[in-house]
């Protein structure tokens, strides 16, 4: 508050008020990964980019410079996810997301006077899909003709980004029901790459000439 003095007089008093726009200072992410990944939960501090496999639960904490009246994450399509204030700290906001799709969010803040953040604040969330395992049949490399008393050796390898939990062989004799042979249940932790082999015993199937057995 100030006035101007001159001679024996003075001006009325004037007041200068200072305000600040709300601003985001940092984002922390607590990541709880799906059980199938075998990965422990972790906290990543001061991030603007989060990358995780689909199904991860992300607890996001936003630090701001002043108490906020309203706040939201706004994705590229305009969909909003509200940010809730921490009851113990008005300058901390929180949101819980289950990651399903990749998005680029803008953090929108507004204080009690309707002033919004002037500096753009972005958060990129990259979601990796849980890809199915890849399987390569290594032997035999073609359709095989065998006698009714032979055994056919089948070899394969499988690979998965989070580990192969169980692998085996399924086959169908003529028009019968599929038969499943489990060759291994994985231990802990499961291997990401496995090589395995199995046998089809045609004599035990009582196979007859010109019958078809299919397998995978």
């Amino acid at each position: 508050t100030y006035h101007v003095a001159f001679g024996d007089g003075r001006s009325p008093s004037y007041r200068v008020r200072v305000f600040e726009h709300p601003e985001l200072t940092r984002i922390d992410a607590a990541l709880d990964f799906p059980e199938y990944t075998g990965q422990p939960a972790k906290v990543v501090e001061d991030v603007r980019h989060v990358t995780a496999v689909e199904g991860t639960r992300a607890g996001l904490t936003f630090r701001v410079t002043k108490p906020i009246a309203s706040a939201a994450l706004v994705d590229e399509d305009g969909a909003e996810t509200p940010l809730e204030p921490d009851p113990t700290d008005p300058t901390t906001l929180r949101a819980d997301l289950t990651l399903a799709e990749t998005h680029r969010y803008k953090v929108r803040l507004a204080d009690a006077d309707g002033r919004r953040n002037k500096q753009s604040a972005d958060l990129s969330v990259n979601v990796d899909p849980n890809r199915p395992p890849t399987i390569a049949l290594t032997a035999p490399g073609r359709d095989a003709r065998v006698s009714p008393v032979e055994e056919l050796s089948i070899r394969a390898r499988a690979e998965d980004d989070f580990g192969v939990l169980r692998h085996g062989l399924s086959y169908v004799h003529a028009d019968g029901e599929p038969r499943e042979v489990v060759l291994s249940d994985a231990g802990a932790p499961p291997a990401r790459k496995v090589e395995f082999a199995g046998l089809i015993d045609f004599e035990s199937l009582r196979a007859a000439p010109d019958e078809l057995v299919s397998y995978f």
Side-chain angles (χ1 to χ4, degrees):
T1 301
Y2 70 94
H3 65 271
V4 178
F6 50 93
D8 295 330
R10 54 171 288 173
S11 72
S13 293
Y14 302 95
R15 176 175 292 181
V16 176
R17 292 191 176 120
V18 177
F19 68 87
E20 63 175 335
H21 289 270
E23 299 296 342
L24 176 71
T25 58
R26 69 183 266 174
I27 305 172
D28 298 331
L31 303 177
D32 185 10
F33 301 103
E35 184 178 354
Y36 68 79
T37 67
Q39 297 180 1
K42 69 176 182 179
V43 175
V44 186
E45 298 182 336
D46 198 9
V47 295
R48 295 299 172 96
H49 299 272
V50 175
T51 299
V53 69
E54 62 180 328
T56 298
R57 292 186 57 83
L60 303 176
T61 301
F62 301 81
R63 313 287 183 180
V64 294
T65 55
K66 61 186 296 188
I68 299 298
S70 66
L73 285 177
V74 184
D75 69 15
E76 55 273 82
D77 297 323
E80 298 184 7
T81 301
L83 304 182
E84 301 296 334
D86 188 316
T88 63
D89 182 358
T91 61
T92 299
L93 309 170
R94 301 189 186 279
D96 291 317
L97 303 178
T98 298
L99 306 186
E101 296 179 338
T102 295
H103 283 294
R104 185 177 181 85
Y105 296 98
K106 289 192 175 297
V107 182
R108 190 185 66 199
L109 308 172
D111 64 13
D113 295 316
R115 299 185 184 95
R116 296 194 173 188
N117 49 314
K118 298 182 70 174
Q119 300 295 325
S120 177
D122 297 336
L123 172 66
S124 295
V125 177
N126 301 312
V127 180
D128 293 329
N130 178 24
R131 298 176 178 86
T134 58
I135 302 172
L137 187 66
T138 57
R142 54 181 174 77
D143 290 346
R145 295 184 65 86
V146 299
S147 76
V149 295
E150 280 189 80
E151 293 178 341
L152 178 66
S153 176
I154 298 172
R155 296 182 179 276
R157 62 174 177 265
E159 182 175 353
D160 184 75
D161 46 1
F162 294 107
V164 179
L165 298 177
R166 186 168 176 260
H167 61 270
L169 170 71
S170 294
Y171 61 91
V172 179
H173 171 219
D175 294 327
E177 292 294 322
R179 304 187 187 190
E180 184 177 89
V181 181
V182 177
L183 297 176
S184 177
D185 284 318
R192 292 193 175 190
K193 296 181 180 180
V194 295
E195 294 188 3
F196 53 97
L199 288 176
I200 298 179
D201 183 356
F202 292 93
E203 187 174 10
S204 66
L205 292 179
R206 299 180 180 178
D210 296 327
E211 286 185 333
L212 176 69
V213 174
S214 59
Y215 59 88
F216 62 92

